[in-house]
Amino acid sequence: MAACAPQLKMGSSAPETGQARAATTPAEATQHPRFRPFSDGNYWVMLDPLPYHIDSTGQHGVVPAGLVTNFASIPSVAQCIYKPYGNHGRPAVVHDYLYWTQPGTRLEADAAFYELMKKYGVHPVKRNIMYTVTRWFAARNWTRSTEQRRRGMRWVIPEEEIEHIPGNISWFDYREEMLRKNPAKKAE
């Protein structure tokens, strides 16, 4: 039986190295951000900002370069069917960011995920399954984000630090290292 672990190909959309690019407005951001993996292969740092616009609410913004994501949080057993990345990848990144920053409610963040999946052409069956599973199981991630921010943990790496991330470190080890170096720095 073949392994179901995701095999993200390296290339222009997921380079091993690259310089982060700052953006202050959605017009300066890119619709196709680049990502760099951490050594665990499960978490990636976004090298370019990603603009988003939720048509139904008018909410818009830019996910900053430096956001750490696992794309869609799909259990390994289910990755034979759905990979963490794909045409749902950008909506998943925005969803991760909304869960981390919590500018609204969890329901609003999940609805934004659904709407963005529709906008990016995710098949209706896949979109409905991913949304339903998110509604059923992501509450603990919402709560965990609140607790981690309160403890000073970060899911956004400052732009000036991105190019200095060692290639042989996992996200969780790097995050602990950042917290040890800057315990008083406000979480982003």
Side-chain angles (χ1 to χ4, degrees):
M1 186 168 179
C4 295
Q7 299 295 316
L8 189 60
K9 294 183 173 96
M10 296 307 202
S12 61
S13 63
E16 285 195 42
T17 60
Q19 182 94 19
R21 195 169 53 87
T24 56
T25 68
E28 295 171 342
T30 178
Q31 284 291 330
H32 302 285
R34 297 168 300 137
F35 297 87
R36 176 182 166 198
F38 281 91
S39 67
D40 58 22
N42 295 318
Y43 288 88
W44 298 72
V45 61
M46 194 166 68
L47 302 175
D48 303 302
L50 173 66
Y52 66 91
H53 185 266
I54 314 302
D55 295 333
S56 64
T57 64
Q59 179 186 7
H60 64 277
V62 178
V63 178
L67 178 76
V68 175
T69 183
N70 65 350
F71 298 101
S73 301
I74 297 174
S76 57
V77 69
Q79 288 181 16
C80 291
I81 301 167
Y82 296 124
K83 303 291 184 214
Y85 50 86
N87 59 348
H88 59 274
R90 286 176 281 182
V93 168
V94 173
H95 187 252
D96 283 354
Y97 184 66
L98 295 175
Y99 261 53
W100 178 246
T101 57
Q102 298 181 351
T105 67
R106 179 176 163 248
L107 179 60
E108 290 168 337
D110 294 348
F113 178 50
Y114 183 86
E115 183 175 323
L116 289 170
M117 284 192 292
K118 187 174 183 179
K119 184 185 252 184
Y120 282 102
V122 175
H123 189 277
V125 172
K126 179 180 176 182
R127 181 172 66 234
N128 286 320
I129 290 170
M130 293 184 86
Y131 174 77
T132 300
V133 169
T134 297
R135 289 301 303 153
W136 284 349
F137 297 108
R140 69 184 177 121
N141 293 338
W142 181 267
T143 302
R144 189 179 308 147
S145 289
T146 303
E147 293 166 0
Q148 288 175 345
R149 277 197 337 274
R150 191 175 17 247
R151 291 193 326 255
M153 302 197 103
R154 297 186 277 171
W155 281 87
V156 179
I157 298 171
E159 183 183 345
E160 63 276 6
E161 295 178 24
I162 294 172
E163 65 186 73
H164 302 292
I165 300 170
N168 62 347
I169 194 166
S170 73
W171 162 237
F172 292 105
D173 290 342
Y174 187 73
R175 187 172 66 174
E176 290 297 324
E177 186 178 296
M178 283 193 313
L179 194 56
R180 279 192 302 274
K181 287 181 182 177
N182 298 306
K185 192 167 185 176
K186 184 169 173 51
E188 297 179 49

